[in-house]
Amino acid sequence: GVLLAIPSGLVVATGVFRLANLVFPVPERMLEQFGADVFPKDIPLWQLVFFISILPAVCEEIAFRGTLLYGLRRKFRPVTLALIVGVIFGFFHVALFRILPTAFLGVVLTAMALMTGSILPGMVMHAGNNGLSLWLAETGFATGKLGWPWYLAAAGVFALAFAILYH
């Protein structure tokens, strides 16, 4: 389920960003600069993988789906809890244009932790999402240029991934 959720979740999150961009447009130059800042060319690939994929997956999952989720679990019902932890996760990533898609992924990762009772699937998805984003950036493939049918198909695969995780 997690392996299906990684690429489909990335495409769905990109679709969420594109929908948000219709209401709050982000200048293309800002996105290009953000990409250059996050994926600098003068760092070896293994370091980028470690600092962008592995380290955030472990540390952020422990912080958000471990500590924060655990601390709030008795105060809120699961859906509300997933929304709260996801939104806090989105705001943690600071860049205004990233809040909605990052909060979406935060809700997804929180739901995974709630459904499985473990932060490990979320760590794998988080690392996979960030690693796939890095790989796509390195190869020049822009998920933001896909047609809307691709986002709908990815949403279907994403729903299947969650059905697998749920059962």
Side-chain angles (χ1 to χ4, degrees):
V2 172
L3 295 179
L4 283 175
I6 292 169
S8 61
L10 177 64
V11 173
V12 171
T14 303
V16 169
F17 170 77
R18 286 191 62 194
L19 287 172
N21 200 34
L22 295 173
V23 179
F24 303 108
V26 179
E28 191 67 33
R29 177 72 182 123
M30 181 184 288
L31 295 174
E32 291 168 5
Q33 185 61 46
F34 177 78
D37 291 343
V38 172
F39 305 119
K41 298 295 181 200
D42 58 342
I43 295 179
L45 183 59
W46 71 269
Q47 285 181 347
L48 279 176
V49 169
F50 179 74
F51 289 122
I52 291 176
S53 297
I54 298 167
L55 194 60
V58 172
C59 295
E60 291 177 4
E61 290 312 304
I62 289 171
F64 289 96
R65 264 58 69 182
T67 307
L68 183 61
L69 179 61
Y70 181 79
L72 296 176
R73 78 186 188 293
R74 291 191 179 143
K75 294 180 178 21
F76 301 101
R77 294 191 178 274
V79 172
T80 306
L81 183 59
L83 289 171
I84 289 170
V85 173
V87 168
I88 292 170
F89 182 73
F91 278 106
F92 172 78
H93 286 80
V94 181
L96 187 60
F97 69 91
R98 291 180 59 206
I99 289 173
L100 190 58
T102 307
F104 166 76
L105 287 173
V107 170
V108 166
L109 293 168
T110 305
M112 278 185 171
L114 290 169
M115 286 190 308
T116 64
S118 171
I119 62 172
L120 187 59
M123 281 184 186
V124 172
M125 181 171 171
H126 197 148
N129 178 74
N130 291 6
L132 182 57
S133 296
L134 174 61
W135 181 71
L136 292 173
E138 288 289 316
T139 61
F141 185 85
T143 55
K145 305 287 186 203
L146 294 173
W148 289 105
W150 286 99
Y151 298 112
L152 292 174
V157 173
F158 195 61
L160 174 63
F162 258 76
I164 292 168
L165 284 171
Y166 183 75
H167 294 293

